[in-house]
Amino acid sequence: MQFIGNQFTQSTALCGNDLATFPDFPAEIRAPAGTTFGVSAFQINFGASVIKTSGDDCDMVVAMNPAALKVELPELKLGGLILVDAGTFTERNLHKAHFDTNPLEDGSLSPYRLIELDISAMTLEAVKEFGLGKKEALRCKNMWTLGLVYWMYDRDRQVTIDWLNEKFANLPDLAAANIAALNAGHAFGETAEIPDGVHGFSIGKANIAPGEYRTVTGAEALSWGLVAGAKLAGLKMTFCSYPITPASSLLHTLSNLMDYDVVTFQAEDEIAAVCTAIGASYAGSLGITSSSGPGIALKAEAMGLAISAELPLIVVNSQRAGPSTGMPTKTEQSDLHQAVFGRNADSPLVVVASRSPSDCFYVAIETIRLAVKYMTPAILLTDGYIGNAAELWLIPDFDSFESFPVEFRIDPEGYQPFLRDEKTLARPWATPGTPGLEHRIGGLEKDFDTGHISYDSANHQRMTEIRAAKINGIADDIPLQTVEEGDGKGELAVVGWGSTYGPINRAVSALRDEGKKVSHIHIRHIWPLPKNLGDLLEGFDQVLVPELNKGQLSTLLRSQYLTDAQTLSKVSGQPFKISEIEAAIRDRLEK
Amino acid sequence: MNVVTPLNKLTPADFATDQEVRWCPGCGDYAILKAMQRTLADIGATKENTVFVSGIGCAARFPYYMATYGFHTIHGRAPAVGTGIKLANPDLDVWVITGDGDALSIGGNHLLHVLRRNVNLQVLLFNNETYGLTKGQYSPTSRAGTRSPSTPMGSIENPVSAVALALGAGARFVARSVDTMQKHLPVIFKRAHDHNGTSFVEIFQNCIVYNDEVFAEFTAKDVADDAEIILEHGQPLIFGKQKNQGLRVKPGFIELETVIIGEDGVTEEDILVHDETNRALAGMLALLEPPSMPVAIGVLYCDPRPSYDDGVKDHMDEALKHSSGHDINALLRRGHTWTITD
Ligand SMILES: Cc1ncc(C[n+]2csc(CCOP(=O)(O)OP(=O)(O)O)c2C)c(N)n1
Ligand code: SF4
Ligand SMILES: [Mg+2]
C-alpha cells in the first residue's frame, strides 16, 4: 500500500499539482491481513491550489478489503466515492473486520457513491499469461487498482512502469505482470461502464511559483539538511543511532551518503549512540544522534555530559505516541517537555522544531549553526508524521546559504578550556591532536577560570548561571517571532509548533476570509524562545495552542509569559483536521 | 661515541599533570599511573595524540593525572565515547580506563560491543573487586560471600571473570597484570598499544581502604611464584619458586593440570608451550583459579584481525571513489525533479 501511495505521489507531482501525503501504517511488519489493526493506509491531498496539509475528510477511499473500509470510512465525506475490491468481501474477511452484515449489501453505504469491482478476479485474468502462482498473481491487484485510479485522475503511468522495471530488474516476469495489471486497470477505466456516473477527474495545475521541484519526505529533507549543515560548518559528520520507529529512516538515508563524508554508526543502544556522538564531537567531528522518545529518555544522562563539557551535539527526536512504547507508528508532539526540561539538574540546551517535511532541511541547518557556534547540545524535534509525509519542494540553491565555518582553537597562548568568548559565552573547541592544548574535561564541575575540577560552592553558582546565560543569550541570535497569517494584534492568536503548521494555517486563513480577527503564530525556536514572543502574545485577547499532546507548549508559554494560553489537545495518533481547529477557534471567539 | 637522544623524546615526568592526585594513600592506582607514565615515555608517545577516556569511579579519575588529552565521561560509557573519538580521528591513540563496576555492571553492554567490533583502542580494567568510589559495595567481580555495606551476610552472586568475558566477546588481545608488577605492567601496556584492534587488559588493583589484600593469596611476594604463572609466547608454561611446576593437558580430559617436572616421569617435554594465538588455550588459562591452579598473568591471547577502524576506512575510501565532490546541490536533485515555468 505504501508503495502504490508513493507511486501516485510521484505521478501527481509530475502533473503539476501541489500535494501533501500522510502514510499511516501499523507497527507490525506483516500485520495479519484483513484485520482492522493491520490496515496500512496512504492518504494524499492534491489539487490546483497550494496544499498545506494531507487533507481532512477524503473525497475518495480505495479499500482493498473490508477491514480497510471499516477503518477508513469515517474519513470519507458524505457523498464521497468508495472503490472496493468486492472479491475480498467474503464471510471470513467480513468477520475479521467485525462487520455483522455485508456493507455492500446492507445499505449502510447509501450516503456514498460506491464502485464495487471484483478486482481480485480481474487481476488474475490480467496476469494469467505470466504463469504466476495464485498468491503472487493476487499481489498484482494493487497495481491494477492504481491503474484505474490513474485513469480517474488522469495521471501518467510511465513513472510507475519505470519504477517497476527497476524494482524487479532481476525478475522480469514479475515486472511484466505488474505492468500488465497496471495497464489492465487503466484500460478498464477507459472502456468499462463504471457505474454511478463516475468519470475521469481532471484537476488543473496548481498556481505554483516557477522553479525546479521535487517531492521530499521529512526524513530525506532532514538527512540532507544535516549533511548541508555540516558542510556549512566545515565539519565531518558522525551520525550515531540505534534503530527505532519512526527515526530509523534517517539512519538508513544517511548510511547511503558516505560519499558525502558521512560516517554512520549503528550503536548497541541509544546510550552508546549518544556517547559515541559526544566522543566524535570531542575529537572535532559533528556528532549527531537520532532517536524517538523512548530512546531520547535513555540519552538524557549523556546529554547532561555534553552540557557540562560544553560540546556541540545534535540530538534528533522523531516523536511518536507514548508513554513507553506507546504507538510507534503514530504521530504525537508529546516530547516538548522532555526536550526542554528532561534532564537532571539545571541543564539548559537549544531546542528547535520543524513544521513540515521540507522545513526539516532548513531547521537541520539552523540547529547545527547554533550547536557549533555556542558549543552546546541542540535538540531537533520532528515527528512521525513529518518524517513519513511527502510534499512538493522548490529546491533551494545551496550556494545561496551562508556558511558558518568552525574555527578550532590551535593557539596555546593563554588557552584555558573553559575561558569563554565574551559575546557568545562559548568555550573554545580544542580537539585532541592539537599540540600545546592538552587538557582534561568531564562531567565534574569545573573552575570558572581554569577548567580544573572544582567543588567550590560559589563557583558552582557562577557556572550554573553562565550555562543558563549562554543558552538564553541565543535569543539575540535567532529571528524574531513573526506572524504566519494575519495581524500582529487581534482577538485570538493561534500558536503552534511543529507539524500542526498546515491545519492551523488553513483554519486561520479560512476564518480570516470570514473577517475574524485571528492570527497564526508558529514557533520554530522552542528554547530559547524568540525574545519578542511575550510582547507579541500580549497583543491578543486570547491565545489558543493546538498541540498533539496534553498542553506542553501552552504550559511553557504560561510559565514564561504569565499568559492565559489555552490548550486544544489531540492525542489520537492522527494529525489535526482543519475543521477541528476551525471549530475550536469559533468556540473561543464566541466566548 | 656520542649518544643522540631525540629532541622531543619525553620523560615519564612530562606525562604527569600538576593536579593533586586524589586517590587514598597506598591505593594500587598510583602504581598503575606510574607504569603508564613510564610506558608513554618508553614508546615515544606524544602528549597531543594521546587521549585517556574514562567512565566514573576511583579508577576513572586517571585522565586528570595524565598530561595528555583526557575525557572523564559518565559511568560505564567510556568505550562508546572512545569509539566516537576513533571514528572522528582514527590517528589518535585512545586508552579507555575503567573499573570492575564501570566496565562490568553499568557498562557491560558497551564493553561487549567495543571488543566485538574491535575498535583500535586499549581498554584497561582496574579490577579491585569492589565499588571503591561509592564506598565499598560488592562488585560483579567480588567473590561469592563477600561482605560489604550492601551484603552484610555476604554476597550470593557468582563473580564474572573479566578475561573470560573478553574472550567470549571476541577480543583479539587479552592480557593481565598486577598493580605491583612495575616491570611487567609497561611491557603489557606496550603490547596492548602495539596491537591493532581492541586490546583488553585486566589489572588486579588493590583497594587499600575497602578491599585490602583481596588478591594477596596469589600476588603476595611470598606466594606469587607458586600462585601465578607468567605467560611468555613460545615458552613452556612453567612456574613455581623452583621453576619445576608446569601446565599440561590432563590425559583423557579437555582441561589443564599442574604437574611437577621430575615427578611421576614428567619431563619438560610434557609441558605445554604457550601460544598466544590459540584461543582454546587462552580460554583455559583465563579460568585458572587459586588455590588449586596458578593465576595466569601476561598476554593470554593475541591474534590480530583488521580493526573496525580499518573497515570504516575501506568503506569510506570506496564510497568516496564515487563522490560528486560533496556537491549539495546535486544531492538535493537526486531522483526525480522537474521544472515549472511561468
Ligand atoms: C549513573 C550512575 N550511577 C551510579 C553512579 C555511582 N557510582 C560512581 S562510581 C561507582 C562504582 C565504581 O566502581 P568501579 O567501576 O569498580 O570503580 P572503582 O571506584 O572501584 O575504581 C558507582 C556505582 C554514578 N556515578 N552514575
Ligand atoms: S577507595 Fe580504594 S580504589 Fe578508591 S582510591 Fe581509595 S584505595 Fe583506591
Ligand atoms: Mg572497582
Side-chain angles (χ1 to χ4, degrees):
Chain A
M1 198 44 63
Q2 302 303 320
F3 279 126
I4 73 165
N6 285 324
Q7 288 306 304
F8 193 77
T9 304
Q10 288 296 331
S11 64
T12 292
L14 288 175
C15 286
N17 295 154
D18 198 2
L19 63 91
T21 70
F22 174 38
D24 188 14
F25 44 86
E28 293 75 12
I29 303 295
R30 296 260 181 273
T35 58
T36 48
F37 58 87
V39 170
S40 172
F42 190 98
Q43 183 173 329
I44 175 165
N45 183 14
F46 57 96
S49 57
V50 172
I51 302 288
K52 288 186 175 163
T53 76
S54 53
D56 269 15
D57 296 341
C58 302
D59 293 300
M60 175 175 184
V61 164
V62 180
M64 300 307 286
N65 59 29
L69 181 65
K70 179 108 190 189
V71 171
E72 299 302 332
L73 192 59
E75 306 298 322
L76 186 63
K77 280 182 188 153
L78 287 180
L81 192 61
I82 304 173
L83 171 61
V84 295
D85 179 5
T88 62
F89 280 63
T90 59
E91 202 155 312
R92 191 153 166 267
N93 283 343
L94 287 166
H95 180 74
K96 271 204 257 179
H98 307 293
F99 278 115
D100 295 331
T101 56
N102 187 344
L104 304 183
E105 289 161 6
D106 63 11
S108 60
L109 299 180
S110 54
Y112 309 98
R113 288 172 299 157
L114 178 66
I115 309 176
E116 265 181 76
L117 301 171
D118 192 343
I119 297 176
S120 301
M122 287 190 278
T123 304
L124 288 178
E125 182 63 29
V127 303
K128 203 167 55 186
E129 60 179 287
F130 301 97
L132 305 178
K134 184 164 177 205
K135 218 169 155 188
E136 277 197 312
L138 272 180
R139 285 217 188 107
C140 298
K141 73 180 185 174
N142 286 348
M143 279 300 146
W144 193 98
T145 313
L146 186 63
L148 176 58
V149 174
Y150 275 0
W151 170 78
M152 294 173 81
Y153 293 97
D154 197 16
R155 310 280 99 148
D156 188 3
R157 275 164 289 164
Q158 196 56 45
V159 219
T160 303
I161 292 172
D162 293 346
W163 175 78
L164 285 168
N165 277 325
E166 196 182 312
K167 180 172 158 74
F168 297 119
N170 299 327
L171 301 162
D173 273 0
L174 216 52
N178 273 291
I179 292 167
L182 180 79
N183 289 336
H186 196 266
F188 180 86
E190 266 174 10
T191 52
E193 288 271 311
I194 293 194
D196 285 42
V198 177
H199 298 291
F201 292 81
S202 163
I203 289 171
K205 285 190 189 225
N207 192 7
I208 295 173
E212 192 178 4
Y213 282 84
R214 63 171 307 131
T215 61
V216 73
T217 65
E220 287 167 340
L222 185 41
S223 306
W224 300 340
L226 293 173
V227 175
K231 174 122 180 162
L232 292 169
L235 296 174
K236 290 193 177 191
M237 181 207 295
T238 308
F239 182 89
C240 312
S241 187
Y242 183 76
I244 184 170
T245 303
S248 302
S249 44
L250 263 188
L251 173 62
H252 302 164
T253 308
L254 286 165
S255 296
N256 285 298
L257 293 180
M258 275 186 146
D259 55 334
Y260 279 83
D261 240 346
V262 174
V263 174
T264 57
F265 177 72
Q266 180 176 311
E268 57 271 27
D269 61 24
E270 282 89 351
I271 301 174
V274 64
C275 288
T276 307
I278 290 172
S281 283
Y282 171 72
S285 179
L286 177 65
I288 304 183
T289 188
S290 155
S291 190
S292 190
I296 302 293
L298 288 173
K299 296 178 196 291
E301 186 198 8
M303 281 157 62
L305 173 67
I307 289 168
S308 174
E310 301 192 42
L311 284 168
L313 170 73
I314 308 294
V315 180
V316 180
N317 181 354
S318 299
Q319 299 164 94
R320 66 189 214 184
S324 188
T325 309
M327 300 197 289
T329 59
K330 305 294 177 191
T331 200
E332 213 164 85
Q333 300 182 294
S334 42
D335 298 346
L336 183 141
H337 281 180
Q338 182 192 41
V340 178
F341 302 116
R343 289 161 298 283
N344 57 303
D346 288 306
S347 41
L349 44 61
V350 171
V351 183
V352 192
S354 78
R355 60 174 60 164
S356 76
S358 64
D359 191 47
C360 288
F361 182 76
Y362 308 97
V363 167
I365 292 174
E366 173 71 347
T367 311
I368 292 172
R369 179 182 77 85
L370 295 175
V372 298
K373 182 166 175 185
Y374 293 91
M375 295 290 283
T376 176
I379 297 181
L380 193 167
L381 291 174
T382 175
D383 63 36
Y385 170 75
I386 294 178
N388 288 319
E391 68 182 358
L392 213 58
W393 188 31
L394 174 59
I395 310 170
D397 178 9
F398 183 67
D399 299 333
S400 68
F401 285 76
E402 209 176 309
S403 67
F404 39 86
V406 165
E407 278 182 39
F408 291 111
R409 173 79 183 223
I410 44 170
D411 182 8
E413 189 58 39
Y415 172 74
Q416 297 286 6
F418 280 81
L419 276 187
R420 293 163 195 280
D421 179 271
E422 273 175 31
K423 199 154 158 274
T424 61
L425 300 182
R427 74 178 191 93
W429 195 354
T431 62
T434 318
L437 298 187
E438 296 82 8
H439 63 277
R440 277 65 53 193
I441 57 168
L444 288 170
E445 186 60 285
K446 288 148 282 275
D447 181 79
F448 193 95
D449 298 309
T450 63
H452 292 321
I453 302 173
S454 167
Y455 297 136
D456 181 81
S457 50
N459 179 72
H460 178 55
Q461 176 91 34
R462 205 171 163 209
M463 288 297 278
T464 305
E465 307 285 4
I466 199 141
R467 282 188 287 262
K470 179 175 83 167
I471 300 301
N472 290 339
I474 293 175
D476 291 326
D477 193 14
I478 59 176
L480 291 178
Q481 183 63 52
T482 54
V483 179
E484 291 299 321
E485 191 78 46
D487 306 324
K489 282 189 171 24
E491 284 178 33
L492 176 69
V494 186
V495 183
W497 68 282
S499 66
T500 52
Y501 178 81
I504 294 179
N505 202 266
R506 290 294 298 276
V508 169
S509 310
L511 291 170
R512 287 190 63 80
D513 288 347
E514 294 178 14
K516 301 268 191 291
K517 293 196 169 48
V518 51
S519 299
H520 175 199
I521 293 169
H522 213 74
I523 302 176
R524 162 177 287 182
H525 289 276
I526 306 287
W527 201 263
L529 288 160
K531 56 183 182 180
N532 64 328
L533 182 60
D535 290 342
L536 189 58
L537 295 182
E538 277 194 16
F540 293 87
D541 303 339
Q542 296 187 66
V543 174
L544 175 66
V545 186
E547 297 182 80
L548 302 174
N549 62 50
K550 289 296 289 166
Q552 301 193 8
L553 178 64
S554 69
T555 308
L556 194 69
L557 296 180
R558 293 173 81 96
S559 71
Q560 293 302 300
Y561 306 120
L562 294 178
T563 173
D564 183 21
Q566 297 291 314
T567 303
L568 172 63
S569 162
K570 178 172 182 179
V571 282
S572 64
Q574 302 290 327
F576 273 113
K577 291 184 172 174
I578 301 165
S579 55
E580 291 166 340
I581 295 174
E582 264 189 43
I585 296 174
R586 279 185 208 286
D587 187 52
R588 292 304 185 295
L589 289 178
E590 276 159 23
K591 271 188 187 155
Chain B
M1 197 183 89
N2 291 327
V3 180
V4 186
T5 22
L7 264 181
N8 50 2
K9 179 113 181 171
L10 302 169
T11 66
D14 291 325
F15 286 98
T17 60
D18 58 358
Q19 295 297 291
E20 181 197 338
V21 183
R22 303 215 188 183
W23 290 312
C24 308
C27 173
D29 289 346
Y30 284 96
I32 307 173
L33 179 66
K34 208 168 128 218
M36 179 56 74
Q37 289 166 346
R38 149 110 280 135
T39 306
L40 294 190
D42 287 352
I43 62 179
T46 62
K47 293 201 242 179
E48 66 266 24
N49 282 322
T50 308
V51 188
F52 284 89
V53 190
S54 62
I56 300 290
C58 295
R61 291 295 182 94
F62 197 93
Y64 290 112
Y65 313 132
M66 294 296 304
T68 61
Y69 281 90
F71 198 177
H72 179 220
T73 70
I74 48 176
H75 202 15
R77 321 299 175 194
V81 177
T83 299
I85 295 172
K86 291 297 286 191
L87 283 175
N89 186 354
D91 296 334
L92 295 172
D93 191 16
V94 174
W95 299 80
V96 171
I97 308 294
T98 182
D100 42 317
D102 196 58
L104 297 168
S105 329
I106 194 166
N109 195 27
H110 310 306
L111 181 67
L112 157 67
H113 292 283
V114 76
L115 295 171
R116 169 182 79 76
R117 287 194 186 101
N118 204 24
V119 182
N120 190 15
L121 47 73
Q122 296 79 250
V123 178
L124 309 186
L125 190 159
F126 297 12
N127 181 8
N128 53 13
E129 294 192 6
T130 184
Y131 289 172
L133 193 72
T134 48
K135 305 207 183 307
Q137 298 87 352
Y138 78 108
S139 89
T141 51
S142 300
R143 284 157 242 184
T146 297
R147 285 179 195 271
S148 81
S150 55
T151 49
M153 295 168 72
S155 61
I156 47 182
E157 297 169 21
N158 287 316
V160 61
S161 155
V163 284
L165 181 128
L167 287 166
R172 317 278 331 172
F173 180 97
V174 177
R176 247 195 204 145
S177 192
V178 183
D179 53 6
T180 49
M181 294 176 76
Q182 280 299 305
K183 290 227 167 63
H184 191 252
L185 273 174
V187 174
I188 295 296
F189 289 165
K190 185 172 182 316
R191 286 287 311 274
H193 174 265
D194 292 347
H195 174 81
N196 181 38
T198 313
S199 319
F200 180 79
V201 182
E202 177 186 25
I203 303 154
F204 295 119
Q205 175 245 324
N206 192 46
C207 169
I208 196 167
V209 174
Y210 297 111
N211 221 5
D212 195 21
E213 304 206 332
V214 68
F215 304 114
E217 73 175 303
F218 58 92
T219 61
K221 272 209 179 83
D222 51 335
V223 299
D225 286 342
D226 286 325
E228 289 173 352
I229 178 162
I230 311 296
L231 311 171
E232 292 275 357
H233 183 57
Q235 298 298 318
L237 291 164
I238 290 177
F239 65 105
K241 265 196 197 79
Q242 323 291 335
K243 297 268 173 248
N244 64 342
Q245 303 184 66
L247 296 177
R248 71 167 184 189
V249 177
K250 189 171 176 182
F253 294 84
I254 308 179
E255 63 181 54
L256 299 179
E257 67 172 353
T258 302
V259 289
I260 297 178
I261 300 164
E263 281 183 15
D264 302 327
V266 174
T267 68
E268 214 180 303
E269 270 78 82
D270 297 318
I271 305 301
L272 270 175
V273 171
H274 183 44
D275 176 4
E276 285 174 358
T277 65
N278 185 330
R279 198 151 175 271
L281 177 60
M284 289 196 273
L285 292 170
L287 294 175
L288 297 182
E289 275 181 16
S292 59
M293 298 297 269
V295 175
I297 304 288
V299 178
L300 282 75
Y301 185 58
C302 176
D303 188 14
R305 286 289 143 88
S307 68
Y308 185 78
D309 319 32
D310 298 332
V312 172
K313 186 171 183 311
D314 286 351
H315 283 189
M316 287 303 278
D317 289 349
E318 181 61 31
L320 291 174
K321 271 190 213 152
H322 313 288
S323 170
S324 64
H326 308 172
D327 179 352
I328 304 287
N329 274 327
L331 174 64
L332 303 185
R333 286 158 182 80
R334 276 188 183 177
H336 262 298
T337 71
W338 63 94
T339 302
I340 291 178
T341 49
D342 280 310

